[in-house]
Structures are given as structure tokens and as C-alpha cells.
Amino acid sequence: MDEKKRIVSGIQPTGTITLGNYIGAVNNWRKMQSDFDSIFFIADLHALTLRREPAEFRQTALSFFAQYLAMGLDPEKAIIYFQSQVHQHTELQWILNCNTYVGEASRMTQFKDKSAKHADNINMGLMDYPVLMAADILMFQSDLVPVGVDQKQHLELTRDIAIRFNNRYGETFKVPEAYIPTVGAKICSLQDPTAKMSKSDPDPNAYVAVIDDEATIIRKFKRAVTDSGNEIVVREDKPGVSNLINIYAAICDKAPSEVEKEFAGQGYGTFKIAVGEAVAAAFEPIRREYARYIADKEYLASVAKEGAQKAAYLAEKTLRKVKKRVGLISF
Ligand code: AQP
């Protein structure tokens, strides 16, 4: 019997889970979880790279966990947990740190972007972020990592680290592949369609949260920045409309070309409302389920504890092998 392939992915608990995270990541995880051996975590250690107010941070992390469940991630099918509850992440990270060059880490686009954005807090963690991500992935011997296109460079570094380690110490890690969706790999800001929709954008009109209510979602789409002209087509000089077409296509499971045909001859105003309504309809059950989960802290804790135990068991198998390979003592 063929063993299922393994997928691993996570989201940092900062800001609020957006339509971009949903289309680029979580909705694919949900679809894949039956056919893959699936591991999904809340990347709370990654989130410490920026300053957090502790009480609010704790609440956001729990809210993200409830949103994972509300979006359809199923603890019967997948391992779901908080990264900080599985110490193997950081233990492996240290060993990988010693096999990663400062030059490679400092070349990462995200490190450069975040350093520019947070010039008063360029901490070691910010540069080390992709090495923790490599540990997240490699410790599970993952086959595929379903992420948005913004994480492609980090995935490449993970592969380089795995290959280097395997060459130096003998076959230890599976070398993973990125799994990037064909539609919706980069959902853009509704206010600046040349930039990624980001969950910590200071302007709430730039993103749609999966737990926004219907009226808010439709209002945000009505205000979305579009382009000059009136054609509803995907084209380089029409980033605003192209983004809306991609959103509608991903939400309704259609090809962008079908969406172009469906709305040919209609105005931007009508199209924006149609996209808003489609997104609001898709998110309505998520909002409802979220209210139910977030009210049941005991259930959330039980899922998280069980998930962490299962994750630690799998991770420890790799970590034991790694420690042996590098020559750390064991009795
Ligand atoms: N706009 C997007 N389109 C498609 N996929 C996206 N992802 C993120 N934004 C988009 C994917 O979601 C997963 C989680 O990514 P993350 O935790 O790095 O979150 P983020 O939204 O990318 O975070 P920001 O905006 O940079 O804010 P901070 O740093 O405050 O958390 C990944 O798979 C990502 O590809």
C-alpha cells in the first residue's frame, strides 16, 4: 500500500487571518488534508520576531487556532497544534543554524523588507526566521509545503539546507517541494493591488479578514482600487481588476478566463459587488463556526494538546537521528 505524502504548513498569529492566507494557504490545506498526512501549526515562535504585547499575543494565537478549525481544518484528519508547544522546532533549528551561512540568511527578501520596516528592531530572530521554518518542515520529513508564492524563497533555502546536511552527514532529511496554487498564489491588497495582501496592514480596507461580517466585506470590495478603463480582464496594466478576478476565480473554483467571460461587458461597480458577495457567502459559515469554537476554550486546549503530542512524537524521530549524525552524545 502506498504511504500518504506528508504536508506541513503554518501561519504566524499576527493581525488577522486574511482572504490572502485563506486562498494562498488554508483553503488548500483543507482540500488536501484527506489525501495527505497533514500537519498544520500556529507559528507563534515565528511571530516573536516582531514585538508583541503578551496578553494580546496570547489571545490572537488562540483566535487563530479557532479560525483554523472554523475554516475546516479537521483534527480527525490532521495534526493541529501551537509551534511553541513542541520544543523540537527550536532544538533542530539550532543544529540547522550551524549548517546555514549568514550570507544566505541575510539575502532573504523578507529579512530585507522586515528590516527596513522595523529598523528599530532588527533582531537575530528576524534573520533566523527561515532557519526555524526549515526546522518546521524538515523535522517532519515533509514531502510538500503548501504556501503562497511569497514563501518560495524560504522554501528554496530549506531545500539547500537539507541537501547540504545530507551531503555532509549522510541521508537524513527528505528534500521537500513547495506546493504553490495556480490561482491565488499572491492575492494583493485591495488598496494597493501591486502589493501583497498582508494581515498586519495598518489599513483595514486593504484586506478582508475571514471573520469580517458580510456588510464589512462588501464595503471593502466596493472601495477596492481598480484601474482606468472598464474591461474586466487579467492584464499586467490592470492589477486591480486582475486581483479581483483572481479572488473571484479562487473562491468560486473557476478559471480566470471563465470569470472574464462571465462579466464581459459589465462595469467595475457591478463586478466589485459580485466579488464581495461571493467572498461574504464563502466566509459566512467560517464566521459562524468561529463563534462556536472560540467560546469553547476547553475543546481548543484538548485539540492543541493532542496535536502537540503527535507532532512531538514524529519530530523526535528525526531529531534523534540528527543528533546522532552530527555526533552529539547519547546514552
Ligand atoms: N496575499 C497572499 N496571497 C497568497 N498567499 C498568502 N499568504 C500570505 N499572504 C498571502 C500565505 O499565507 C501563509 C501564512 O503566511 P504568514 O504567516 O507569513 O502571513 P502573512 O499574511 O504573509 O504575514 P504578513 O502580512 O507578512 O504579516 P506579519 O509578518 O505581521 O505576519 C503563507 O503560506 C503565505 O504564503
Side-chain angles (χ1 to χ4, degrees), residues 12 14 20-21 24 114 147-148 150 185 187 196-200:
Q12 300 187 77
T14 52
N21 300 126
K114 292 215 164 163
V147 284
D150 58 318
I187 298 301
K196 184 185 92 157
M197 180 180 286
S198 162
K199 63 177 150 52
S200 38

Side-chain angles (χ1 to χ4, degrees), residues 98-130:
C98 299
N99 288 277
T100 306
Y101 298 108
V102 170
E104 328 179 83
S106 59
R107 269 199 299 277
M108 295 291 112
T109 310
Q110 181 182 288
F111 171 64
K112 289 194 242 170
D113 288 351
K114 292 215 164 163
S115 301
K117 243 188 185 165
H118 306 278
D120 60 335
N121 184 23
I122 307 177
N123 59 69
M124 295 292 290
L126 209 54
M127 188 161 85
D128 212 11
Y129 179 111

Side-chain angles (χ1 to χ4, degrees), residues 204-205 207-208 212-222:
N205 286 319
Y207 59 80
V208 170
D212 273 346
D213 61 38
E214 186 183 1
T216 306
I217 295 175
I218 293 177
R219 179 173 42 78
K220 286 181 179 179
F221 276 103
K222 275 189 186 162

Side-chain angles (χ1 to χ4, degrees), residues 269-315:
T270 316
F271 182 50
K272 287 202 260 187
I273 292 173
V275 183
E277 283 173 350
V279 172
F283 284 180
E284 208 278 319
I286 298 177
R287 218 164 67 83
R288 224 182 24 238
E289 285 295 280
Y290 171 69
R292 196 165 69 80
Y293 284 120
I294 198 66
D296 192 350
K297 306 272 184 310
E298 233 170 87
Y299 177 70
L300 296 178
S302 73
V303 172
K305 271 190 200 160
E306 194 183 326
Q309 271 167 10
K310 290 184 185 162
Y313 173 78
L314 295 175

